[in-house]
Amino acid sequence: MQRPREPRALAPGSHGRVSVTTDRGSDQVAMADGSGIPTMSEPIQLVGMLLLFLIGLRLSAFFSGSETGFYRLSLPRLGIDAQSGDRQAARLLWFAHRPARFVATTLVGNNVANYLVTVAITMATLVLLGGGSEWAEVLMTLLVAPIVFLFGELLPKNVYYRAPLARMRGQILWFQAFYYLALPFSLPLVVLSRLIERLAGRRSRSQETLPGRGRFLQMISYGRHEGLLTSAQSTVATSVLAIATQPVTESMMPADRVLGLPDSATREEILEFARRFGTPVVALAEGTTLAKGQPRWTMYVRATELQVRSEPLSEIRHPLPVIRPSANKLEALALLHEYTAAA
């Protein structure tokens, strides 16, 4: 049997490795200096660095795109989907009500992604070019930077900007899992941001309690774009906002010009009055005030109820809602809507 050859020292610059030739021919195994433990070969190291780089690049794309898509989400659409039982929409709505937690999580995630990319580039440079030159690491970083910017920042942000709800809905579970993993690091950032807001005398709100006109118009536009509102509904909503601040007195009719009857009128008289003037609703005034030319309208009757209901007239009459003269038209519409729903 052929005895194994003696170990031979390698040339300087081989990082302390020695080569041993076995009895199987010319196969050589790289050995660590003095440890006797085989080191990983360069191809395996490069594959590992490539996988680490791709993981970091994917995380960078995920968190960068999520940050852009988060601010493009439609809160009305999320609210409707969450109320209909959509769990992904409910999770997104939870983060929408807590934007500081979402931003802190993306900040931690981007830092983790950048760290993985940096480690992969540095280790790959050491394997390929050795550790003797710092310029080699700088040059490798400059060469890889366009790739990271294109696939880790620009393209993901563009994709999430164009389809925020579709992308966020499909990946919210992954984001929520990372949120709980990164909570020990992101929670101090949230506390710090709130402390700074208190010291500065400002308080952030997750959503507007009373949205202004601009916010309402934006919500209407989103609703029409997402298919939640038809063209007619959008037109009505926009028109309501246009007259919202106008005083209700501009739409009031003088009491002596209202078509109606005294509260002592019979069922037949009310039906005849409704047919004659083509009105589905007949106002009723106190008889004494109507006789004096200053009617006080207090009740009304629907003609359809008179035809289909056999109860006494006193049970069919409805009291008129009372609106303050100082109210605006939007307040009046809201009051009438509540009154109609209760009736």
Side-chain angles (χ1 to χ4, degrees):
M1 179 182 299
Q2 185 179 1
R3 297 177 60 186
R5 299 179 182 179
E6 295 296 329
R8 294 178 300 174
L10 296 179
S14 59
H15 307 286
R17 298 177 182 176
V18 293
S19 176
V20 175
T21 305
T22 63
D23 57 354
R24 297 179 183 178
S26 59
D27 294 339
Q28 295 181 342
V29 179
M31 308 292 289
D33 186 16
S35 63
I37 302 176
T39 61
M40 187 181 299
S41 61
E42 290 186 1
I44 298 178
Q45 288 181 351
L46 292 177
V47 171
M49 295 307 102
L50 180 60
L51 291 177
L52 188 63
F53 175 79
L54 292 178
I55 292 174
L57 187 64
R58 181 65 183 89
L59 289 176
S60 178
F62 173 68
F63 290 108
S64 298
S66 298
E67 186 176 4
T68 300
F70 178 74
Y71 292 104
R72 288 277 297 166
L73 290 175
S74 172
L75 290 180
R77 178 64 181 271
L78 284 180
I80 293 175
D81 291 346
Q83 291 178 1
S84 63
D86 191 335
R87 294 185 177 180
Q88 282 75 14
R91 294 186 177 95
L92 286 172
L93 190 62
W94 188 88
F95 280 109
H97 291 164
R98 300 162 180 83
R101 294 177 180 266
F102 186 92
V103 174
T105 304
T106 56
L107 181 62
V108 174
N110 274 319
N111 278 276
V112 172
N114 294 333
Y115 178 78
L116 294 179
V117 171
T118 303
V119 170
I121 295 174
T122 302
M123 296 185 67
T125 304
L126 293 176
V127 172
L128 293 176
L129 305 178
S133 175
E134 295 180 357
W135 288 103
E137 297 182 18
V138 175
L139 180 61
M140 184 67 71
T141 302
L142 293 177
L143 292 176
V144 178
I147 300 177
V148 177
F149 175 74
L150 180 62
F151 295 100
E153 295 286 341
L154 186 60
L155 287 181
K157 287 181 177 295
N158 190 23
V159 171
Y160 278 77
Y161 180 85
R162 294 178 179 273
L165 185 58
R167 302 301 303 175
M168 294 292 293
R169 186 195 298 270
Q171 299 182 358
I172 186 58
L173 289 177
W174 290 103
F175 188 91
Q176 192 174 35
F178 188 85
Y179 164 75
Y180 289 112
L181 292 175
L183 194 60
F185 307 99
S186 62
L187 190 58
L189 297 177
V190 176
V191 175
L192 180 61
S193 65
R194 292 179 178 176
L195 179 61
I196 295 175
E197 289 176 358
R198 290 182 180 179
L199 294 177
R202 300 180 59 185
R203 183 180 178 183
S204 62
R205 294 180 296 179
S206 60
Q207 59 180 355
E208 297 175 349
T209 306
L210 293 175
R213 176 184 175 87
R215 179 59 175 162
F216 268 122
L217 292 175
Q218 184 183 17
M219 293 171 64
I220 293 172
S221 177
Y222 278 145
R224 184 175 180 182
H225 178 73
E226 297 292 340
L228 301 176
L229 296 176
T230 63
S231 179
Q233 291 172 332
S234 177
T235 302
V236 171
T238 305
S239 301
V240 168
L241 288 179
I243 65 172
T245 58
Q246 298 178 6
V248 71
T249 52
E250 294 184 359
S251 299
M252 292 177 61
M253 180 183 297
D256 55 355
R257 295 178 56 185
V258 177
L259 294 177
L261 294 172
D263 54 4
S264 59
T266 63
R267 182 189 297 263
E268 291 74 15
E269 291 175 344
I270 295 175
L271 289 175
E272 178 62 26
F273 185 88
R275 283 192 292 266
R276 182 189 308 171
F277 293 97
T279 176
V281 178
V282 178
L284 300 178
E286 296 179 359
T288 55
T289 60
L290 188 61
K292 296 179 181 179
Q294 297 178 351
R296 182 183 177 186
W297 307 100
T298 57
M299 310 290 288
Y300 72 94
V301 179
R302 297 188 180 96
T304 54
E305 291 182 342
L306 291 175
Q307 294 176 343
V308 300
R309 296 176 61 178
S310 59
E311 292 89 340
L313 186 59
S314 59
E315 298 181 7
I316 302 178
R317 295 184 299 184
H318 305 281
L320 284 172
V322 179
I323 301 175
R324 296 178 292 104
S326 59
N328 56 43
K329 293 183 179 180
L330 184 59
E331 293 175 344
L333 287 175
L335 179 62
L336 292 175
H337 177 73
E338 294 178 0
Y339 181 82
T340 304

